[in-house]
Amino acid sequence: MKRFSFRLEKVLRYRKYLESKAQIKLMDAINEYHKKENFIRMIIAKRIELADECGGEKKKGMDVARYRLYYHYFRKLNDEQEAGGLALKKTGEKVQAHRMLLTKESIKKKTLETLKEVQQGRYQEISGKEEQKIMDETAIIRIKRVNL
């Protein structure tokens, strides 16, 4: 009897490829999310450091020009943090979209794998029955030969 062959094997391989491609895209999006998260943390740390430094200078007495420099730098950091927060939110949405895509691709692949397992089980069942039939026929032929 011929061996089992799954007619949709090429489609299954393609589904596996699409799933791995979706996994790579998801990991890239997650890495991008972490980079932006770290960038925002760095800005927050700079703001805290600047606030401490500015507070120390205020106690000592600060001239107006220096105060304006601190103020503009502080404002720039606030703007960067706000922009980073928006970018982080967009990247979070991108991660969710890639996660959904990966889930869809995994479902499609798993469906084909399940179909393959079912067909392989049927094939083994049928081949087992055919093998048993051949063995029974061989036994009957032997018995007939012995009786002749």
Side-chain angles (χ1 to χ4, degrees):
M1 186 169 196
K2 65 180 181 178
R3 64 185 201 92
F4 174 75
S5 66
F6 184 57
R7 287 185 281 157
L8 299 174
E9 188 67 39
K10 291 179 182 178
V11 176
L12 180 60
R13 271 189 272 136
Y14 181 67
R15 293 285 181 207
K16 287 179 182 179
Y17 165 74
L18 289 178
E19 183 187 27
S20 66
K21 191 175 174 182
Q23 283 176 338
I24 290 170
K25 285 184 178 181
L26 175 63
M27 293 309 298
D28 288 344
I30 288 172
N31 287 337
E32 183 180 346
Y33 183 82
H34 288 303
K35 283 179 184 177
K36 290 184 180 186
E37 209 173 34
N38 289 335
F39 178 72
I40 289 175
R41 285 189 188 124
M42 183 187 69
I43 290 174
I44 290 171
K46 280 183 182 179
R47 282 184 54 208
I48 292 170
E49 182 182 323
L50 180 67
D52 291 341
E53 189 178 317
C54 186
E57 293 245 353
K58 272 185 182 180
K59 287 179 184 177
K60 293 179 187 175
M62 178 182 344
D63 59 348
V64 176
R66 190 143 180 98
Y67 179 77
R68 277 191 175 178
L69 286 174
Y70 277 115
Y71 175 76
H72 288 296
Y73 186 59
F74 195 73
R75 199 165 174 200
K76 179 184 167 249
L77 288 176
N78 281 339
D79 291 343
E80 284 181 6
Q81 183 181 359
E82 192 175 304
L86 292 175
L88 184 67
K89 186 177 179 181
K90 286 181 183 178
T91 306
E93 291 170 0
K94 185 178 173 183
V95 167
Q96 290 294 35
H98 283 295
R99 201 169 267 143
M100 292 297 293
L101 177 67
L102 177 62
T103 303
K104 287 178 183 177
E105 293 298 334
S106 295
I107 290 170
K108 288 177 182 178
K109 181 194 72 141
K110 187 64 179 171
T111 303
L112 282 176
E113 285 177 343
T114 305
L115 178 64
K116 180 180 178 179
E117 290 171 5
V118 167
Q119 286 183 1
Q120 194 169 16
R122 286 182 188 159
Y123 171 80
Q124 288 175 349
E125 185 179 316
I126 290 171
S127 66
K129 286 180 181 178
E130 286 183 16
E131 190 175 306
Q132 185 65 39
K133 182 179 173 185
I134 291 171
M135 299 273 269
D136 290 345
E137 288 174 358
T138 306
I140 291 172
I141 291 173
R142 241 187 229 153
I143 291 173
K144 286 183 180 177
R145 282 188 185 168
V146 171
N147 288 339
L148 288 178

